[in-house]
């Protein structure tokens, strides 16, 4: 190190001491040494998934054909229960299928149906676009107001205080918010925010897309009502992998997602004329599940289980801290850090600010450093310790420094 800025040897020392370093070889396509810092966008392909999908196509679909359904019918809730353990959800509350956007639509609609007297929906400021579109569309269709919950500064999380300020009159049906913000990586206090919203009669729906597989989540413990999240980021489920939906068990009989299909029916093969909702998480399922996608998600979940979410969290925090130390060395070249500096106040990606972010990201890609930009001026680098190395973080920031020196 010089001037407190870590050097490449320091990165290599950290990698040698990293208890999770061995997991990197369990993935396909990472042998070329290019820093892949996009685990928050599309996780790489686990070798176990490649094998499981080959087995499924050969022996399952190919071999058993229709008889395979015996084992596939309940995959949405079986994998849901397993994934649920990663987000602190007991069995019977999580199901997989559809995209995150569709899951979000189903659950926001369910929340609005459950609160017919409410006149508003609340959404965190600068929320991910799909969350904004879903809330805006459902609010418009029902003549509800959309209230924006202020964040703690432009890049900070929503807080119990800002939620109280928005929901105090008791008119809000549901608060929708990302636990980890997609731009800055700021992490909300799930327990405090949930309690604040519920204290004013609002339900709480957490979007866990940037949290699941990256930070410990305790949905049951904090008393969350609803949650959704995607499985192709830190869970490495693959492009278009089915998203999950969580509904707290206490809402099972009263808060019903409105897209009715035979897979959500209490007794699917009774083939009754009228829909009778399943009593558990199966009500969150609509139609025939995406079996290949679920086979892949299960392997991704198994890898996170094996590494342990606490170990992933710890190494992720260290890798982001390492990146922050390097970025601070570039402050005189116009690089700012917008990710919170408190490791407990952020998720697992590092967000930097520079006015030429899109152009810099394109130049980094040309040099084999895979990161992304978020308009207008943010550069994101994810620490996904199942496959990210300290030396990847070092190389990315070193390359950025060189670009800015020229
Ligand atoms: C990635 C992400 C999504 C993804 O939505 P899809 O419907 O799966 O494309 C949703 N919400 C947030 C906050 C995300 O980061």
């Amino acid at each position: 190190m010089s001037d407190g800025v870590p050097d490449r040897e320091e990165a290599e020392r950290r990698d040698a001491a990293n208890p999770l370093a061995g997991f990197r070889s369990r993935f396909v396509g990472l042998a070329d040494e290019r820093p892949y810092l996009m685990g928050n966008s599309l996780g790489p392909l686990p070798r176990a998934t490649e094998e499981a999908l080959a087995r499924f196509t050969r022996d399952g679909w190919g071999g058993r054909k229709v008889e395979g359904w015996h084992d596939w019918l309940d995959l949405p809730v079986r994998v849901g229960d397993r994934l649920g353990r990663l987000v602190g959800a007991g069995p019977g509350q999580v199901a997989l299928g559809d995209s995150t956007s569709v899951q979000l639509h189903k659950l926001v609609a369910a929340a609005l149906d459950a609160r017919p007297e409410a006149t508003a929906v609340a959404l965190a400021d600068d929320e991910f676009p799909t969350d904004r579109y879903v809330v805006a569309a459902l609010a418009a269709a029902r003549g509800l107001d959309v209230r924006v919950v202020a964040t703690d500064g432009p890049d900070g999380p929503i807080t119990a205080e800002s939620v109280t300020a928005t929901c105090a009159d008791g008119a809000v049906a549901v608060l929708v918010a990302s636990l980890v913000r997609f731009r800055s990586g700021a992490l909300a206090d799930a327990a405090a925010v949930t309690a604040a919203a519920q204290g004013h009669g609002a339900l709480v729906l957490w979007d866990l897309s940037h949290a699941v597989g990256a930070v410990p989540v305790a949905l049951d413990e904090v008393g969350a009502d609803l949650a959704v999240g995607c499985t192709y980021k830190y869970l490495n489920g693959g492009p278009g992998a089915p998203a999950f939906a969580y509904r707290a068990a206490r809402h099972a009989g009263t808060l019903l997602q409105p897209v009715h299909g035979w897979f959500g029916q209490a007794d699917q093969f009774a083939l009754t004329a009228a829909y009778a909702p399943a009593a558990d998480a199966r009500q969150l399922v609509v139609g025939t599940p995406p079996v290949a996608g679920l086979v892949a998600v299960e392997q991704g979940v198994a890898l996170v289980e094996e590494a342990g979410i606490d170990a992933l969290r710890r190494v992720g925090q260290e890798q982001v801290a390492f990146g922050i130390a390097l970025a601070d060395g570039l402050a005189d070249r116009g690089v700012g850090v917008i990710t919170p500096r408190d490791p407990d106040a952020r998720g697992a990606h590092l967000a930097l600010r520079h006015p030429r972010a899109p152009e810099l990201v394109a130049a980094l890609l040309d040099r084999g450093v895979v990161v992304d930009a978020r308009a207008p001026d943010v550069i994101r680098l994810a620490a996904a310790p199942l496959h990210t190395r300290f030396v990847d973080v070092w190389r990315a920031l070193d390359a950025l420094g060189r670009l800015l020196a020229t």
Side-chain angles (χ1 to χ4, degrees):
M1 291 210 219
S2 64
D3 313 330
V5 179
D7 56 18
R8 187 178 176 121
E9 285 65 45
E10 174 66 12
E12 285 166 356
R13 266 195 299 280
R14 297 283 203 100
D15 283 324
N18 177 2
L20 300 179
F23 280 94
R24 184 176 163 87
S25 65
R26 310 270 293 272
F27 289 87
V28 172
L30 297 178
D32 67 2
E33 298 295 311
R34 296 192 309 164
Y36 186 74
L37 296 166
M38 283 283 83
N40 62 337
S41 187
L42 181 65
L45 168 63
R47 292 189 191 285
T49 305
E50 191 179 30
E51 285 156 25
L53 285 173
R55 252 192 331 270
F56 164 71
T57 50
R58 189 186 56 230
D59 306 336
W61 180 19
R64 299 175 65 199
K65 300 181 284 295
V66 75
E67 287 169 273
W69 277 114
H70 179 70
D71 292 328
W72 304 330
L73 278 177
D74 68 348
L75 269 177
V77 289
R78 215 164 69 215
V79 181
D81 279 350
R82 198 162 172 190
L83 186 154
R85 289 200 288 274
L86 301 180
V87 290
Q93 302 179 101
V94 176
L96 287 108
D98 310 313
S99 65
T100 318
S101 305
V102 172
Q103 296 287 30
L104 199 58
H105 186 102
K106 285 155 60 184
L107 292 191
V108 175
L112 298 179
D113 289 343
R115 293 288 153 92
E117 71 291 354
T119 60
V121 192
L123 183 71
D125 192 16
D126 193 29
E127 191 45 88
F128 189 77
T130 226
D131 302 61
R132 296 212 301 254
Y133 305 154
V134 165
V135 165
L138 286 167
R142 291 159 196 248
L144 304 174
D145 295 329
V146 177
R147 294 187 185 173
V148 174
V149 181
T151 52
D152 186 9
D155 305 308
I158 58 167
T159 62
E161 293 70 33
S162 57
V163 168
T164 296
T166 308
C167 302
D169 65 357
V172 173
V174 58
L175 163 68
V176 176
S178 288
L179 186 59
V180 175
R181 291 172 66 71
F182 80 101
R183 216 184 290 276
S184 67
L187 173 69
D189 180 339
V193 166
T194 300
Q198 290 172 345
H200 298 291
L203 294 158
V204 177
L205 191 166
W206 288 108
D207 187 330
L208 302 177
S209 292
H210 279 279
V212 63
V215 303
V217 182
L219 287 174
D220 289 349
E221 193 183 310
V222 305
D225 298 290
L226 301 162
V228 298
C230 66
T231 58
Y232 49 79
K233 293 174 179 165
Y234 295 97
L235 288 185
N236 307 305
F244 65 94
Y246 161 91
R247 178 187 59 185
R250 65 182 177 281
H251 294 307
T254 50
L255 200 152
L256 300 174
Q257 68 80 12
V259 189
H260 294 180
W262 68 319
F263 272 74
Q265 157 76 10
D267 184 357
Q268 185 180 1
F269 292 101
L271 309 177
T272 53
Y275 179 80
D280 61 8
R282 288 192 307 116
Q283 202 271 321
L284 304 173
V285 185
V286 179
T288 302
V291 176
L294 290 163
V295 166
V297 171
E298 184 158 33
Q299 296 301 324
V301 168
L303 266 182
V304 171
E305 273 173 5
E306 188 185 335
I309 191 68
D310 292 332
L312 287 165
R313 173 62 167 152
R314 196 168 53 249
V315 178
Q317 284 177 322
E318 287 168 11
Q319 290 182 335
V320 174
F322 188 73
I324 290 175
L326 289 161
D328 283 342
L330 303 177
D332 60 357
R333 295 179 206 179
V335 175
V337 173
I338 65 173
T339 298
R341 285 170 185 273
D342 173 1
D344 293 328
R346 62 179 187 239
H349 73 261
L350 169 60
L352 306 175
R353 177 163 278 147
H354 190 283
R356 286 165 42 216
E359 177 196 326
L360 290 167
V361 165
L364 287 169
L365 285 173
D366 283 346
R367 286 158 180 76
V369 176
V370 188
V371 297
D372 77 3
R374 282 291 171 261
D377 58 357
V378 174
I379 303 173
R380 298 189 308 177
L381 304 80
L386 282 175
H387 54 86
T388 305
R389 298 168 302 187
F390 285 87
V391 79
D392 296 328
V393 178
W394 184 86
R395 284 180 52 192
L397 274 300
D398 179 62
L400 179 63
R402 284 172 200 277
L403 281 171
L404 290 170
T406 57

